């Protein structure tokens, strides 16, 4: 008998950033309501800020809890201390962790200050596997199609690894630092296969500067030159986009 896989790839064009954020928060709320011990994959950057606000608002409304959940962030810069305000640890603390009841021990990000980066990558990948795997992964998309910090050319079979950031990515992220020169050159990121192993994925892309990336994602074929294109092979993706 042929194996029939049901594939759900939804493109949802939103009116504004607030609508995108609320729809994404509703998907995460639903996930936690149906499985309180969900493993959540989280992202940083400008796209999810409104999403975290909306999720915190829903949490404060009191319908669900993060007590039994776990989270794994996509990435962290190498060489930036956790306490530094430009670290992704700090970002998560500011936008989500300090507002919810997710136990500290269940919040996972790669440790960018580690002495042994390769061991840290392996540890992180194993921790995701040990957790039972990611139920719902949040993603943004870079203008060059990167997901996590998987830049064009990254193998689709990559696991958590260390990357050298592309110039375009360092330029995009310079706004969070004093100057482009101070943007870290390397990061630890979940690999593309790590991301593709999530049961469900929600990708956020809002603004004129993301239009081209969304067009390429929609209409171009699958290629390692545009990392996000692999998502079209995933069984359950929702892309929330608009400008
Ligand atoms: C963030 C991450 C990146 C961003 C992407 C889009 O954890 O892994 O892939 O999602 O660079 O960034 P923004 O949302 O700032 O446009």
């Amino acid at each position: 008998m042929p194996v029939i896989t049901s594939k759900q790839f939804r493109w949802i064009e939103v009116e504004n950033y607030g609508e995108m954020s609320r729809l994404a928060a509703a998907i995460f709320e639903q996930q936690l309501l149906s499985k309180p011990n969900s493993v959540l994959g989280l992202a940083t950057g400008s796209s999810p800020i409104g999403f975290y606000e909306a999720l915190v608002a829903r949490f404060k409304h009191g319908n669900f809890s993060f007590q039994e959940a776990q989270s794994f962030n996509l990435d962290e810069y190498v060489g930036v201390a956790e306490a530094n305000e430009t670290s992704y640890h700090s970002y998560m603390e500011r936008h989500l962790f300090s507002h919810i009841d997710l136990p500290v021990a269940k919040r996972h990000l790669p440790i960018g200050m580690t002495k042994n980066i390769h061991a840290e990558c392996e540890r992180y990948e194993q921790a995701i596997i040990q957790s039972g795997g990611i139920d719902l992964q949040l993603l943004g998309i870079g203008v060059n199609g990167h997901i996590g910090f998987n830049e064009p050319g990254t193998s689709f079979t990559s696991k958590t690894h260390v990357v050298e950031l592309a110039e375009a990515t360092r330029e995009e992220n310079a706004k969070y630092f004093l100057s482009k020169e101070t943007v870290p050159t390397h990061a630890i990121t979940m690999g593309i296969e790590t991301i593709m192993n999530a049961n469900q994925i929600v990708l956020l892309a809002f603004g004129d500067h993301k239009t081209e990336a969304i067009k390429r994602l929609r209409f171009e074929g699958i290629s390692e030159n545009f990392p996000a294109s692999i998502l079209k092979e995933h069984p359950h993706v929702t892309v929330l986009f608009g400008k």
Side-chain angles (χ1 to χ4, degrees), residues 46-65:
S46 50
S47 309
I49 291 177
F51 156 75
Y52 289 128
E53 250 174 58
L55 190 62
V56 168
R58 282 168 179 266
F59 164 72
K60 291 198 167 147
H61 208 253
N63 289 338
F64 64 97
S65 160

Side-chain angles (χ1 to χ4, degrees), residues 17 43-50 77 80 84-88 90-91 94-95 141 146 149 165 168-184 209-210:
Y17 181 75
T44 57
S46 50
S47 309
I49 291 177
Y77 291 117
V80 176
N84 187 299
E85 62 174 15
T86 59
S87 77
Y88 286 170
S90 292
Y91 172 106
R94 245 184 345 267
H95 294 291
I141 182 170
H146 74 226
F149 272 132
L165 303 183
T169 303
R170 294 186 69 230
E171 268 157 33
E172 260 184 289
N173 291 2
K175 55 183 180 283
Y176 303 114
F177 292 83
L178 291 175
S179 64
K180 192 194 145 196
E181 289 64 46
T182 53
V183 180
H209 61 306
K210 293 292 168 78

Side-chain angles (χ1 to χ4, degrees), residues 52-228:
Y52 289 128
E53 250 174 58
L55 190 62
V56 168
R58 282 168 179 266
F59 164 72
K60 291 198 167 147
H61 208 253
N63 289 338
F64 64 97
S65 160
F66 293 84
Q67 277 286 342
E68 294 175 44
Q70 293 197 63
S71 71
F72 286 89
N73 265 77
L74 283 167
D75 38 28
E76 178 58 286
Y77 291 117
V78 170
V80 176
E82 289 173 25
N84 187 299
E85 62 174 15
T86 59
S87 77
Y88 286 170
H89 280 79
S90 292
Y91 172 106
M92 291 309 299
E93 192 60 31
R94 245 184 345 267
H95 294 291
L96 184 67
F97 296 154
S98 61
H99 308 285
I100 61 171
D101 62 349
L102 179 64
V104 175
K106 294 180 169 186
R107 311 165 180 178
H108 309 280
L109 286 95
I111 308 294
M113 287 299 274
T114 179
K115 286 210 172 65
N116 187 339
I117 296 183
H118 295 288
E120 172 57 13
C121 294
E122 177 61 19
R123 181 200 68 80
Y124 200 69
E125 187 73 26
Q126 286 307 317
I128 295 171
I129 294 167
Q130 296 293 314
S131 76
I134 293 171
D135 291 297
L136 176 56
Q137 175 69 55
L138 182 72
L139 293 180
I141 182 170
V143 293
N144 61 5
H146 74 226
I147 49 176
F149 272 132
N150 296 288
E151 304 287 13
T154 307
S155 164
F156 284 156
T157 58
S158 53
K159 307 276 176 54
T160 300
H161 62 294
V162 60
V163 289
E164 183 169 0
L165 303 183
E167 278 309 292
T169 303
R170 294 186 69 230
E171 268 157 33
E172 260 184 289
N173 291 2
K175 55 183 180 283
Y176 303 114
F177 292 83
L178 291 175
S179 64
K180 192 194 145 196
E181 289 64 46
T182 53
V183 180
T185 54
H186 291 78
I188 294 175
T189 180
M190 284 185 197
I192 298 199
E193 194 172 303
T194 323
I195 294 170
M196 288 292 284
N197 283 339
N199 286 335
Q200 188 186 167
I201 293 175
V202 173
L203 184 144
L204 307 180
F206 191 82
D208 285 335
H209 61 306
K210 293 292 168 78
T211 308
E212 188 58 28
I214 286 298
K215 209 158 107 192
R216 291 186 68 183
L217 179 58
R218 276 191 104 159
F219 302 114
E220 284 184 11
I222 297 173
S223 154
E224 286 178 352
N225 291 329
F226 194 76

